[in-house]
Amino acid sequence: MTETLSGIRVLDLTRVLAGPLCTMILGDLGAEVIKVEAPGGSDDTRNWGPPFKNGVSAYYLCANRNKKSITVDLKYEQGKEIIKTLVKECDVVIHNFKTGTMERLGLDYEILVKINPKIVYCSITGFGETGPYKDLAGYDYIIQAMSGLMSITGDEGSGPQKVGVAITDILTGLYACIGIQAALLERNQSGTGQKLDLSLFDAGVSALVNIASNYLMSEKIPGLIGNSHANIVPYQTFDTSNGKMVIAVGNDRQFKKFVDILGLEYLSESPRFQTNAKRVEHRQELIPILQKILLSKPTEYWQEHCQQHGIPCGPINTIDKVFNDPQVRAREMMIETKHPQAGDIKLVGSPLKLSKTPIKIKYPPPLVGEHNDEIFKDLGYSQNK
């Protein structure tokens, strides 16, 4: 069966998370991805841990399946020539070196596009290749702070908090994957490739979505609202008799059903709470009333009754519960494969469910230089020096 991106060859000069996540998705979709590292390995995540399994980092495993690995030393001219030779046969080049590094190496877009006019060239940096911050290093944690995400995450007690995963890395990887595929589609019409300039900072700002829109319209600076929602009430975490759960009432119809379940029918008739706009305005009055009733029963009770009436809700699962959840198993969001060093490993599955070209795991996350012989032989090199 032909895969979605079958025939597309990607030269991957990235490391850590944003770039490797992007190229893993391209590999999942059927592209041939050649991961390039310095001799001995230069992807920092290979050493990020514990946990390790037989010396293999769990972090590295999360974003590097469906790739081949070669080692090239870009300090030497032969290494640069190897990259240029590969570019002749590739459709995509992606890197996440600091701004200016590829120019110093003589491997920037202006050089490579002369070698292969059809190349789609994607640069991922902390702040982008233009603007006053272009030369600054950008790590996800710093970007979460500077993009405004931390200023709206957390509550008055906790102060600003980061998201529990490297969210701007993840978003940038997704944007890069979208942009690359769009450029490949445009190439089908124009016959030539183009350059993409992606940054974690831009992705972080874009992630402000409705909060940014609220500010741009009102010029009111949003603050920390914890697990509440800026524009919808009730839409937050509640305590129950045995724990916590999230209840997300998205419209007035759902609100009426919700308060009926709680035995608080009168609330839906009150002018203070009839509409969502009024509920946002009178949030401080409404929430304590709801919370008092929700404390009387366990999470399971409220979950069952809310779901029966079409009210979105759910428990706050720990990660062990997530991967024992029957829905996770049914959706194949945990998969098993074999790794040449780590042995049997479990990975998070792909959320992309394509009916005609389903995702396949062709290669486990590769060892450093695992495919040197194969790739260099095809290029006419006896070995990578």
Side-chain angles (χ1 to χ4, degrees), residues 55-81:
V56 180
S57 161
Y59 198 121
Y60 168 75
L61 293 175
C62 83
N64 285 287
R65 67 171 176 250
N66 281 338
K67 303 177 186 182
K68 298 176 181 179
S69 171
I70 63 172
T71 53
V72 177
D73 196 334
L74 297 179
K75 296 177 183 177
Y76 298 98
E77 286 304 315
Q78 186 185 29
K80 298 171 188 177
E81 288 303 317

Side-chain angles (χ1 to χ4, degrees), residues 2-68:
T2 301
E3 296 172 279
T4 307
L5 294 181
S6 178
I8 298 297
R9 203 177 204 196
V10 178
L11 189 59
D12 179 7
L13 300 170
T14 68
R15 66 270 188 220
V16 186
L17 187 55
L21 178 67
C22 170
T23 54
M24 182 180 75
I25 297 170
L26 296 174
D28 282 354
L29 291 169
E32 179 187 7
V33 178
I34 302 173
K35 182 180 178 70
V36 181
E37 295 180 72
S42 52
D43 190 330
D44 291 339
T45 62
R46 290 186 183 275
N47 301 308
W48 284 2
F52 297 94
K53 186 174 182 183
N54 296 332
V56 180
S57 161
Y59 198 121
Y60 168 75
L61 293 175
C62 83
N64 285 287
R65 67 171 176 250
N66 281 338
K67 303 177 186 182
K68 298 176 181 179

Side-chain angles (χ1 to χ4, degrees), residues 85 107 109 111 116 152 163 178 191 314 327 359-360:
T85 301
L107 298 173
Y109 176 68
I111 297 294
N116 181 356
I152 58 169
V163 179
I178 294 167
Q327 184 68 12
I359 302 299
K360 296 187 291 186

Side-chain angles (χ1 to χ4, degrees), residues 35-213:
K35 182 180 178 70
V36 181
E37 295 180 72
S42 52
D43 190 330
D44 291 339
T45 62
R46 290 186 183 275
N47 301 308
W48 284 2
F52 297 94
K53 186 174 182 183
N54 296 332
V56 180
S57 161
Y59 198 121
Y60 168 75
L61 293 175
C62 83
N64 285 287
R65 67 171 176 250
N66 281 338
K67 303 177 186 182
K68 298 176 181 179
S69 171
I70 63 172
T71 53
V72 177
D73 196 334
L74 297 179
K75 296 177 183 177
Y76 298 98
E77 286 304 315
Q78 186 185 29
K80 298 171 188 177
E81 288 303 317
I82 289 171
I83 297 300
K84 291 177 180 179
T85 301
L86 280 165
V87 166
K88 295 177 183 177
E89 302 178 1
C90 285
D91 302 277
V92 178
V93 172
I94 177 171
H95 78 87
N96 61 352
F97 291 116
K98 286 181 64 176
T99 298
T101 300
M102 291 291 274
E103 284 76 7
R104 288 193 297 273
L105 292 170
L107 298 173
D108 55 288
Y109 176 68
E110 298 305 324
I111 297 294
L112 299 187
V113 73
K114 293 176 182 177
I115 297 171
N116 181 356
K118 293 186 176 182
I119 201 71
V120 171
Y121 180 104
C122 180
S123 163
I124 296 178
T125 57
F127 293 92
E129 295 191 357
T130 58
Y133 300 160
K134 65 183 177 62
D135 295 319
L136 297 180
Y139 280 72
D140 170 83
Y141 202 167
I142 307 303
I143 302 299
Q144 287 198 44
M146 294 181 66
S147 68
L149 283 173
M150 284 182 65
S151 77
I152 58 169
T153 306
D155 55 31
E156 292 183 2
S158 69
Q161 296 282 303
K162 72 179 182 68
V163 179
V165 295
I167 190 65
T168 66
D169 272 306
I170 295 167
L171 291 172
T172 307
L174 293 172
Y175 277 127
C177 191
I178 294 167
I180 287 168
Q181 291 180 89
L184 289 171
L185 284 172
E186 193 280 335
R187 189 182 71 172
N188 289 339
Q189 302 174 47
S190 68
T192 57
Q194 60 181 297
K195 180 180 177 180
L196 289 77
D197 174 8
L198 276 292
S199 85
L200 274 67
F201 187 68
D202 293 349
V205 173
S206 78
L208 295 173
V209 287
N210 62 296
I211 300 298
S213 188

